[in-house]
Amino acid sequence: MSIKKKTDELLKINRQILKCSVCLKSAKGLLVPGEGSRSAEIVLVGEAPGKNEAVTGKPFIGRAGKLLDSLLETIKLDRNDIFITSAVKYLPKTYITPKPADIEHGRIHLFAQLEAIQPRVIVLMGNTAAMAVLHEKFSIAKDHGKFIIRDGLIYFLSYHPAAPLYSPKLREIIIKDFKKLKRYIK
Ligand code: URA
């Protein structure tokens, strides 16, 4: 697909997400479709927006986002060169962790985005993203750092960048995984 076609397609998907009645009905605050480069080789997929994201409409700008930024800086990856999104495009109204119905619905939007971008690698950050995309239960504690090929697409499993907020020793582990990802892309 040409860059112009990709841009048009992504803008169209963005508009569709922003006016999606299922998302709007379920959301507390703004919808967060995701952002980044339309020709990204890497798409990062998180779980669902948090409070800060729901106020601004931008992905990963809260505490997890700060950790993600420092991680990207460590491996010299620019936010503008990748695409960042989440499995679910809204912060649910009455709970924080998305439920299976939120995830199932989110797949429609996420797969449309992946189809338009056609990245080389899709990074699934955390158990929810892995489950949402691959429809399989993974244990990120065991499976992080692994590449998985499904239907011709290449996925990389990693911890969610918020993980070191709860367990600081995971920071070094995530950095190691992301360095592996960077080597693959080079
Ligand atoms: N966590 C996510 O998974 N996505 C965001 O946008 C923010 C926090």
Side-chain angles (χ1 to χ4, degrees):
M1 210 191 292
S2 71
I3 290 285
K4 160 97 175 68
K5 263 198 149 170
K6 268 194 181 189
T7 310
D8 292 349
E9 188 58 25
L10 259 185
L11 285 173
K12 193 174 105 196
I13 295 164
N14 203 61
R15 280 196 298 273
Q16 276 165 356
I17 295 173
L18 291 176
K19 61 175 201 242
C20 169
S21 58
V22 176
C23 290
L24 287 168
K25 192 175 75 201
S26 318
K28 181 163 155 187
L30 300 178
L31 303 188
V32 186
E35 64 183 17
S37 167
R38 69 217 165 193
S39 43
E41 293 198 315
I42 298 176
V43 172
L44 301 184
V45 182
E47 184 175 295
K51 281 189 197 145
N52 294 295
E53 290 79 14
V55 168
T56 57
K58 292 182 172 297
F60 282 98
I61 54 140
R63 284 177 81 201
K66 300 277 172 294
L67 275 161
L68 179 61
D69 284 341
S70 79
L71 184 60
L72 294 176
E73 203 181 315
T74 308
I75 61 160
K76 309 237 172 316
L77 205 57
D78 200 311
R79 246 190 199 243
N80 297 319
D81 294 333
I82 60 180
F83 192 87
I84 304 179
T85 187
S86 296
V88 174
K89 310 303 187 195
Y90 52 84
L91 170 64
K93 268 197 178 118
T94 53
Y95 45 88
I96 290 174
T97 306
K99 299 199 168 163
D102 302 303
I103 293 171
E104 202 47 48
H105 177 70
R107 285 168 63 83
I108 300 171
H109 299 310
L110 179 61
F111 277 94
Q113 290 173 317
L114 295 175
E115 177 74 29
I117 299 171
Q118 302 201 348
R120 277 178 65 196
V121 188
I122 300 152
V123 182
L124 304 173
M125 303 192 296
N127 286 313
T128 302
M131 172 70 192
V133 173
L134 297 174
H135 257 191
E136 232 178 276
K137 233 185 159 112
F138 285 94
S139 160
I140 290 299
K142 259 201 351 252
D143 298 322
H144 70 89
K146 287 186 187 159
F147 287 96
I148 291 185
I149 301 174
R150 289 276 190 289
D151 302 325
L153 297 176
I154 301 171
Y155 298 95
F156 183 72
L157 297 178
S158 100
Y159 278 98
H160 190 279
L165 290 173
Y166 310 102
S167 179
K169 67 177 192 314
L170 291 178
R171 189 182 149 78
E172 282 313 309
I173 295 176
I174 302 186
I175 290 175
K176 209 168 144 208
D177 286 348
F178 270 62
K179 281 186 174 163
K180 184 174 176 184
L181 172 70
K182 184 82 191 286
R183 281 197 301 277
Y184 176 83
I185 282 297
K186 266 189 185 165

